């Protein structure tokens, strides 16, 4: 995956129906959870970056129309979505929550309206009008397994938070059946607490020194800190983090320890597009508010992918935007046309 990345619900809204080419201004409507300030900021920056990139959409500009919804309230999110698409839209870039995303998928399928997703999703089949720019968990799982085989771990503990993690870690879990002489121990993080010391002490007592940590980003620093407190982070220990943002974690407390901490990241800080992004918008956030946090970066990828599809379509065909009504679903006549171009974009 190239570029930065993107996330959330976005729609193209147009005031005038045009034939023969694209409209001069294409409005994207973005729907965010109220707590996702980082994603909203990334969306606004992505809008500006696409407008500044004159290699695509040279005859059109994009603009932003943003709405938010509280918590995981799918009812209010759906109501906001229906308001956003009423005047005619070309796409929806969707929310990261599974509950809200499923509602958007239903609307997009009923209206033949492409839905750009940026969330982690382990499904093997997708609704026809849904395109997800997030790496599929199966590919990530294979990368984790390849790493373990390459470094020669013969015994390790998988410390996971939820059932979703088991799906993501399938290739690791299957290693004893596919790769000889490998022992895998599964331990689930204790729910409803932020004190993981008792569980970590059990792992220490087992004398396992290789640990795969799969949990939500906001828990990683706490777990590593507590592991350090009970001397489970020494020069004998190795950790593999499944987060795609290991470089956004504060590892400075362990700088003088020879513990090995490995992870995979999506963004290449040395790439031209990332350098330009940071030049235009210097990072001021930390952790999930970091400009290059994976979900924020995927926002750029999703927006650029759709802009590239529109650009390719504009060189050969016209696009007519039509009013879309949730209560009276009439499919968009050009939905299949733009979808075919979207599926051809390399990103």
């Amino acid at each position: 995956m190239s570029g930065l990345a993107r996330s959330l619900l976005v729609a193209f809204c147009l005031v005038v129906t045009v034939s023969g080419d694209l409209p001069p201004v294409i409005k994207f409507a973005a729907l965010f959870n109220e707590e996702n300030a980082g994603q909203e900021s990334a969306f606004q920056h992505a809008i500006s970056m696409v407008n500044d990139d004159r290699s695509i959409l040279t005859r059109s500009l994009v603009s932003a129309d943003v709405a938010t919804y509280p918590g995981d309230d799918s009812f209010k999110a759906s109501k906001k979505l229906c308001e956003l698409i009423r005047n005619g839209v070309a796409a929806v870039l969707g929310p990261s929550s599974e509950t809200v995303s499923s509602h958007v998928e239903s609307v997009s399928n009923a209206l033949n309206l492409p839905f750009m997703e940026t969330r982690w999703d382990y499904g093997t089949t997708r609704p026809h009008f849904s395109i997800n720019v997030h790496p599929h968990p199966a590919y990530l799982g294979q990368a984790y397994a390849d790493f373990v085989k390459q470094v020669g771990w013969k015994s390790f503990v998988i410390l996971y938070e939820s059932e979703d993690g088991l799906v993501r870690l399938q290739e690791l879990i299957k290693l004893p059946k596919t790769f000889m002489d490998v022992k895998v121990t599964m331990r689930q993080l204790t729910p409803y607490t932020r004190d993981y010391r008792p569980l970590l002490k059990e792992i220490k007592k087992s004398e396992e020194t290789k640990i795969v940590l799969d949990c939500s980003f906001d828990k990683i620093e706490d777990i590593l800190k507590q592991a350090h407190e009970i001397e489970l982070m020494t020069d004998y220990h190795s950790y593999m983090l499944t987060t795609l943002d290991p470089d956004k974690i504060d590892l400075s407390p362990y700088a003088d320890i020879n513990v090995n901490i490995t992870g995979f990241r999506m963004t290449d800080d040395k790439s031209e597009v990332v350098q330009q992004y940071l030049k235009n918008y210097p990072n001021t956030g930390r952790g999930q508010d970091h400009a290059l946090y994976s979900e924020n970066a995927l926002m750029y990828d999703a927006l650029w992918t759709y802009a590239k599809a529109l650009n390719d379509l504009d060189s050969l065909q016209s696009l007519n935007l039509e009013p879309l009504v949730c209560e009276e679903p009439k499919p968009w006549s050009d939905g299949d046309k733009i979808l075919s171009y979207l599926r051809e974009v390399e990103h």
Side-chain angles (χ1 to χ4, degrees):
M1 176 175 296
S2 65
L4 301 185
R6 349 155 186 191
S7 33
L8 256 356
L9 160 315
V10 180
F12 278 74
C13 191
L14 187 60
V15 176
V16 182
T17 299
V18 186
S19 61
D21 55 10
L22 298 180
V25 177
I26 303 170
K27 183 174 289 187
F28 284 78
L31 185 64
F32 299 97
N33 182 291
E34 292 175 347
E35 299 176 358
N36 289 342
Q39 290 183 343
E40 183 172 347
S41 177
F43 170 72
Q44 297 288 1
H45 293 164
I47 288 284
S48 297
M49 288 285 287
V50 168
N51 283 334
D52 291 341
D53 184 354
R54 302 323 296 160
S55 66
I56 56 174
L57 294 180
T58 56
R59 296 184 295 174
S60 300
L61 294 174
V62 296
S63 65
D65 190 4
V66 178
T68 60
Y69 62 93
D72 201 25
D73 193 327
S74 58
F75 175 78
K76 290 185 178 179
S78 298
K79 186 176 180 179
K80 293 282 188 180
L81 170 63
C82 293
E83 293 173 359
L84 291 171
I85 70 176
R86 187 170 296 143
N87 291 328
V89 300
V92 174
L93 277 76
S96 54
S97 130
E98 180 178 358
T99 303
V100 177
S101 291
S102 65
H103 283 265
V104 178
E105 287 177 352
S106 298
V107 173
S108 81
N109 268 352
L111 298 175
N112 283 10
L113 181 63
F115 174 29
M116 304 294 291
E117 295 195 73
T118 57
R119 67 187 179 94
W120 183 89
D121 184 8
Y122 58 81
T124 55
T125 59
R126 303 202 53 75
H128 184 60
F129 277 88
S130 177
I131 294 179
N132 197 332
V133 298
H134 193 289
H136 194 278
Y139 295 112
L140 296 176
Q142 187 60 58
Y144 303 145
D146 289 345
F147 168 79
V148 167
K149 289 187 285 187
Q150 183 177 359
V151 298
W153 286 8
K154 297 299 183 182
S155 179
F156 59 93
V157 175
I158 293 179
L159 192 55
Y160 70 98
E161 179 178 7
S162 66
E163 300 301 316
D164 284 347
L166 297 181
V167 176
R168 184 166 40 243
L169 300 169
Q170 275 303 300
E171 294 303 317
L172 283 174
I173 296 171
K174 293 189 297 185
L175 275 181
K177 297 181 180 179
T178 59
F179 201 64
M180 296 296 292
D181 301 324
V182 173
K183 176 186 175 184
V184 178
T185 302
M186 307 292 297
R187 300 303 303 267
Q188 186 171 13
L189 289 169
T190 309
Y192 312 116
T193 181
R194 300 288 288 197
D195 183 5
Y196 306 106
R197 293 175 189 83
L199 176 58
L200 294 171
K201 288 178 180 178
E202 291 180 19
I203 295 175
K204 180 182 178 181
K205 187 177 180 180
S206 73
E207 299 186 347
E208 288 283 3
T209 59
K210 310 292 190 295
I211 300 172
V212 176
L213 178 57
D214 182 88
C215 65
S216 54
F217 180 87
D218 63 350
K219 294 182 179 179
I220 296 174
E221 289 186 6
D222 282 349
I223 293 172
L224 294 181
K225 179 182 178 181
Q226 293 174 30
H228 180 41
E229 290 174 0
I230 66 165
E231 299 182 344
L232 197 61
M233 291 187 71
T234 70
D235 52 1
Y236 295 105
H237 291 92
S238 296
Y239 287 77
M240 183 178 74
L241 311 179
T242 63
T243 175
L244 294 176
D245 296 281
D247 53 326
K248 314 303 186 304
I249 300 168
D250 182 13
L251 298 177
S252 59
Y254 322 112
D256 297 328
I257 304 174
N258 288 327
V259 61
N260 186 293
I261 301 177
T262 301
F264 300 82
R265 67 181 186 184
M266 287 196 302
T267 54
D268 178 4
D269 291 355
K270 296 181 181 179
S271 71
E272 183 179 347
V273 66
V274 171
Q275 290 293 318
Q276 185 61 47
Y277 185 90
L278 292 178
K279 180 181 179 180
N280 292 350
Y281 311 104
N283 177 60
T284 58
R286 181 181 176 276
Q288 290 170 294
D289 290 327
H290 193 287
L292 299 182
Y293 182 70
S294 57
E295 289 189 7
N296 301 336
L298 281 168
M299 173 65 77
Y300 174 89
D301 284 352
L303 199 59
W304 184 90
T305 297
Y306 205 103
K308 181 63 168 62
L310 284 172
N311 185 77
D312 294 343
L313 181 147
D314 188 32
S315 64
L316 297 172
Q317 301 184 54
S318 63
L319 186 73
N320 293 318
L321 301 184
E322 304 163 356
L324 299 172
V325 181
C326 292
E327 295 78 14
E328 301 174 6
K330 178 184 177 183
W332 179 28
S333 57
D334 280 345
D336 280 307
K337 183 192 298 184
I338 185 61
L339 183 65
S340 66
Y341 281 87
L342 275 168
R343 295 193 184 282
E344 295 298 320
V345 175
E346 293 184 4
H347 57 84

